[in-house]
Amino acid sequence: MAFCIQLVLALLMLLVETAIAADIPKQKAPTMADVLAASKPGDWRALDPQRTLYVELASGRVVIELAPNFAPRHVANVKALARERYYDGLAIVRCQDNYVVQLADPDADKPQLKRKVHHAKATLPPEFECVLDPKLPFTRLPDGDVYAPEVGFTGGFPAARDPKTGKMWLVHCYGMVGAGRDAPADSGGGTELYVVIGHAPRHLDRNVTLLGRVVQGIELLSALPRGTGALGFYEKPQQRVPIRAIRVAADLPATERTALEVIITDAPIFQELIESRRNRREDWFHVQAGHIELCNVPIPVRPLSAQSARK
Amino acid sequence: MAFCIQLVLALLMLLVETAIAADIPKQKAPTMADVLAASKPGDWRALDPQRTLYVELASGRVVIELAPNFAPRHVANVKALARERYYDGLAIVRCQDNYVVQLADPDADKPQLKRKVHHAKATLPPEFECVLDPKLPFTRLPDGDVYAPEVGFTGGFPAARDPKTGKMWLVHCYGMVGAGRDAPADSGGGTELYVVIGHAPRHLDRNVTLLGRVVQGIELLSALPRGTGALGFYEKPQQRVPIRAIRVAADLPATERTALEVIITDAPIFQELIESRRNRREDWFHVQAGHIELCNVPIPVRPLSAQSARK
C-alpha cells in the first residue's frame, strides 16, 4: 500500500514536471528579437575598415566583409586590385536565378581589350580550404549537415571542418562572395567575383575560393534582372550593370564609410540566437523545427551605435 | 608458398580493381546534361491543365503546378477562387529578400474594402501535413536531412516523411507556393499566397500549407524590388505589382496555354539525375560533394515536345 502511494505520488510529480517543462519553454524561451533586444554593446563588433570592401553601384553600396583567416592571399589580392582601381568601370555581367551574380571584365576574353592588372596578381593558387586551426573559435551547430562533418560559425562566417583531414573551409551560404575561375584550379584570383543569391550551392564548397560575405546591400544584387543567356549572362552590353568602383573602406575618409557592427558569432549571445531559431517561439509557429541548417542562421548586422563607436 | 602467391595475386587484383573503380566514374559517369540528352519521351509528363495555375503579370506568366496529393482542399479552393476571379486586380504586396513574395488583397484588413469571397471558402482547416501514403512513389535521397527523418521527391514535389508519426509533408524549397495565414492555424485557405524566393526556409515546414510549385517564370517574382517596410512589405501602393489574373490552365483555350513537360521524379531517370548532381563530373569540378541536399536537386522542366504532345 505504501508502495502504491509512493508510485502514485511519483507519477503525479512526473505529471507536474512534464506540464511545467511543456509550459516554460513556450512562455520563457526568448525569440531572436528578445535575444537582440537584450544584447550588450560587447556582443557586437564594428567592421574593420581594412577588412571591408565597398562595391559602388548607381543603385547604392554593397558592403562586403573579407575573410583573411580563410583566404589570406585572395583577400590581399582583391584589396590590391581595388587599390589599383582594377574594378572601376567593369560590370555585373551575369545574374543567374537562384544561383549567383558575377562581377567581371566584359572583355576578359579579348586580349587587346581586357583590363590590365598592374601590381596585383592576375591569378593565384587556390584557397579552397585551409588547415584547421584549433585556436580559431568555432560555434558548432548541433544538428549536423548534409555535406560536411562539422559546421558552424567563426569570426562572422559560416564554415565547415573535417577533423579527419584536418581542414576547414568557408561555406556557400546566401550572400557569400567568391573568386570566379575557369576550369584550372589556379585560374582565379579575384579579378572576377561572384555573390550567392539563391539556395546555398553547397556543391561549390572547396571548389572555389570564398573570400567574404555581403553584410549590407545584397538586395542591390539579388533583385537584378536575370540574364537571359546561358548561365544567366546578360546578352546585350546595355543590360550589364556598371560597377562605379570597388574600394577598401579604410581608403575612404571615416565620414564616407558605412558604419556597421556585426554580432559576435563567437560570443554566448550567438548560441542564444541559434537556439531561438532552432525552436521558433513566436506565436505564429505551431510546430518547432528543433533543428537548424547552417545557412538558415541569420548573422545580424546593424548601424554602429554611438556607444560602440567609442569602444 | 602457394598461399603467398595467391595472396599477392589477390592483392594485385584488388589494386587493379581499385584503380579502375577510381578511374571509371570520373570518365564515364554522366553529367546532368548527359542524363537529359539521353532521356526518352516517357521520362517526361505534360503538365495536367487541371492542376496548373497561371499567375498573369504585366511582365509575363508564372506557371504553378498544384499538389492535390498533399493539400486537396487548398488546391480545390485556390482553383475555386481563381474561377470566381477573386485574385484579378489584387497585387504582390510583399517581397522580402532571401525569403518570400506574397500575393494578397492589399485591403484585406479593411472590412469595407476587402475583396469578397463568393463560392469558394475564405479560410480552411490546415493541411500542414497528411497521412503517409505508402502507395505514393517516393524517390528517397540517400544523404539525410537536417530537418526530417526522410526526404525525397514524389510526383514532382520535394517532400519529407516520418515513418514514426506516419505523416508526410511538402518541403519549403525554392519556388514552392503556400497559403499565407495569420496566427491561427485555420486562418489560411488560399486567398493569400506566398512563393519562396530564397534559401529554403525549412522552419516553415508543417507550419503553413504548401500547395504547389512554380515550374516556370519564378524570375518574374524573385527579381522584383525588395519591399522596404517590415517583413519586406511594399510601403507605397504604387510599389505593389498588380496581378492581372490567376487562371486554371484548363479554363483557357489550348492555344493559350503554356505547353510544358516536367521530368518524372518517380522514374529511374530521376535517380540518375540525382546521382549526376551528388557527384558533379563536369571538368570544372575538382572536388565532388558526394552528397546532395533536397532543395539542391533541380526538377527539369522544358517546352512540351511534339512527340510528347501526341502521347
Side-chain angles (χ1 to χ4, degrees):
Chain A
M1 180 68 184
F3 173 75
C4 185
I5 288 171
Q6 276 184 332
L7 184 68
V8 167
L9 280 175
L11 282 174
L12 276 176
M13 281 299 293
L14 198 68
L15 264 175
V16 169
E17 278 169 15
T18 308
I20 290 170
D23 267 6
I24 285 181
K26 187 119 194 158
Q27 290 172 0
K28 295 233 178 137
T31 65
M32 183 168 84
D34 296 332
V35 171
L36 295 179
S39 70
K40 307 214 162 26
D43 294 327
W44 301 79
R45 61 181 172 82
L47 285 182
D48 174 355
Q50 284 291 356
R51 290 204 294 115
T52 305
L53 216 59
Y54 297 150
V55 179
E56 309 283 6
L57 306 173
S59 56
R61 173 180 282 176
V62 180
V63 182
I64 294 170
E65 179 165 36
L66 298 167
N69 281 342
F70 286 84
R73 298 186 67 181
H74 278 74
V75 165
N77 202 48
V78 165
K79 288 172 69 177
L81 286 164
R83 281 171 170 157
E84 68 177 58
R85 318 245 148 160
Y86 171 83
Y87 301 106
D88 301 10
L90 299 185
I92 298 171
V93 296
R94 174 187 181 196
C95 180
Q96 184 171 358
D97 194 64
N98 191 22
Y99 200 45
V100 297
V101 295
Q102 192 171 310
L103 295 74
D105 179 357
D107 296 316
D109 294 334
K110 300 178 188 130
Q112 299 298 318
L113 292 174
K114 74 176 199 176
R115 185 69 57 100
K116 300 277 181 298
V117 176
H118 299 288
H119 307 293
K121 306 276 187 195
T123 60
L124 280 177
E127 295 176 300
F128 297 162
E129 55 184 5
C130 55
V131 173
L132 198 163
D133 179 356
K135 292 194 299 295
L136 218 57
F138 190 70
T139 302
R140 186 172 168 191
L141 289 190
D143 302 311
D145 183 70
V146 169
Y147 292 90
E150 297 182 358
V151 294
F153 293 85
T154 179
F157 294 97
R161 309 197 304 186
D162 186 345
K164 282 193 191 153
T165 62
K167 301 284 186 182
M168 63 179 190
W169 57 93
L170 291 176
V171 167
H172 279 84
C173 292
Y174 193 87
M176 290 296 286
V177 182
R181 64 164 176 84
D182 296 325
D186 61 358
S187 60
T191 57
E192 195 178 293
L193 298 170
Y194 66 93
V195 182
V196 175
I197 58 155
H199 186 78
R202 297 286 306 279
H203 56 286
L204 298 180
D205 289 359
R206 296 186 291 157
N207 273 300
V208 210
T209 301
L210 287 169
L211 54 83
R213 191 177 79 88
V214 173
V215 292
Q216 191 179 74
I218 185 74
E219 71 283 1
L220 304 180
L221 305 175
S222 58
L224 287 175
R226 277 40 179 162
T228 49
L231 302 174
F233 279 91
Y234 292 123
E235 295 183 279
K236 296 175 189 165
Q238 63 269 28
Q239 293 171 324
R240 295 177 192 140
V241 180
I243 297 168
R244 289 187 173 173
I246 298 187
R247 292 282 177 274
V248 180
D251 297 348
L252 295 189
T255 52
E256 292 177 28
R257 296 181 198 155
T258 304
L260 295 174
E261 55 186 7
V262 183
I263 205 159
I264 298 178
T265 60
D266 312 319
I269 190 172
F270 199 64
Q271 292 275 15
E272 292 169 36
L273 183 144
I274 289 168
E275 184 49 35
S276 77
R277 301 299 275 194
R278 294 177 74 235
N279 291 293
R280 298 288 293 264
R281 306 294 184 178
E282 294 90 342
D283 284 341
W284 187 88
F285 286 88
H286 291 264
V287 174
Q288 289 154 5
H291 298 81
I292 197 159
E293 185 264 330
L294 182 68
C295 298
N296 267 323
V297 178
I299 306 172
V301 174
R302 66 181 189 185
L304 189 69
S305 64
Q307 195 175 1
S308 298
R310 282 195 305 271
K311 271 199 300 195
Chain B
M1 183 64 184
F3 173 74
C4 186
I5 287 172
Q6 277 186 332
L7 185 66
V8 168
L9 280 176
L11 282 174
L12 277 175
M13 282 300 293
L14 198 66
L15 266 175
V16 170
E17 279 168 15
T18 308
I20 290 170
D23 269 5
I24 285 180
K26 186 119 195 157
Q27 290 171 0
K28 297 235 177 134
T31 64
M32 183 169 83
D34 297 332
V35 172
L36 295 180
S39 70
K40 307 213 161 31
D43 294 327
W44 302 79
R45 61 180 171 83
L47 286 182
D48 174 355
Q50 284 290 355
R51 291 204 293 117
T52 305
L53 215 59
Y54 298 148
V55 179
E56 310 283 6
L57 306 173
S59 56
R61 173 180 283 176
V62 180
V63 181
I64 295 169
E65 180 167 35
L66 297 167
N69 280 342
F70 286 84
R73 297 186 67 181
H74 279 73
V75 165
N77 202 48
V78 165
K79 288 172 68 178
L81 287 164
R83 284 173 167 155
E84 69 177 57
R85 318 244 148 159
Y86 170 83
Y87 300 106
D88 301 9
L90 299 185
I92 299 172
V93 297
R94 174 188 182 195
C95 179
Q96 184 171 359
D97 194 64
N98 192 23
Y99 200 46
V100 295
V101 294
Q102 192 170 310
L103 295 73
D105 179 358
D107 297 316
D109 295 334
K110 300 177 188 129
Q112 298 298 318
L113 292 174
K114 75 175 198 178
R115 184 70 56 102
K116 301 278 181 297
V117 176
H118 298 288
H119 307 293
K121 305 275 187 196
T123 59
L124 281 175
E127 293 176 299
F128 297 162
E129 55 184 4
C130 55
V131 174
L132 199 164
D133 179 356
K135 291 192 301 295
L136 218 56
F138 190 69
T139 302
R140 187 173 167 191
L141 289 189
D143 302 312
D145 183 71
V146 168
Y147 292 90
E150 298 182 359
V151 293
F153 293 86
T154 179
F157 294 96
R161 309 197 303 186
D162 186 344
K164 281 192 191 152
T165 62
K167 300 285 185 182
M168 61 179 192
W169 58 93
L170 291 176
V171 167
H172 279 83
C173 292
Y174 193 86
M176 290 295 287
V177 182
R181 65 164 176 84
D182 295 327
D186 61 358
S187 60
T191 57
E192 195 177 293
L193 299 170
Y194 66 94
V195 182
V196 175
I197 59 155
H199 186 77
R202 298 286 305 276
H203 55 286
L204 298 181
D205 290 359
R206 295 185 292 158
N207 273 299
V208 209
T209 301
L210 286 169
L211 53 83
R213 190 177 80 88
V214 173
V215 292
Q216 190 178 77
I218 184 76
E219 71 282 1
L220 304 180
L221 306 175
S222 59
L224 287 175
R226 277 40 179 162
T228 50
L231 302 176
F233 278 91
Y234 292 122
E235 294 182 280
K236 296 175 189 164
Q238 64 269 29
Q239 294 171 324
R240 295 177 193 140
V241 180
I243 297 168
R244 289 187 173 173
I246 297 187
R247 292 282 178 272
V248 179
D251 297 347
L252 295 189
T255 52
E256 291 177 29
R257 296 181 198 154
T258 303
L260 295 174
E261 55 186 7
V262 183
I263 206 159
I264 298 177
T265 61
D266 312 319
I269 191 171
F270 200 65
Q271 292 276 15
E272 293 169 35
L273 184 145
I274 290 168
E275 184 49 35
S276 76
R277 302 299 276 194
R278 294 177 74 236
N279 290 294
R280 297 289 291 263
R281 307 294 183 177
E282 294 90 344
D283 285 341
W284 186 88
F285 285 88
H286 291 264
V287 175
Q288 287 152 7
H291 298 81
I292 198 159
E293 185 263 330
L294 181 68
C295 298
N296 268 321
V297 178
I299 306 171
V301 175
R302 66 182 190 185
L304 189 69
S305 64
Q307 195 175 359
S308 298
R310 281 195 305 271
K311 271 200 299 195

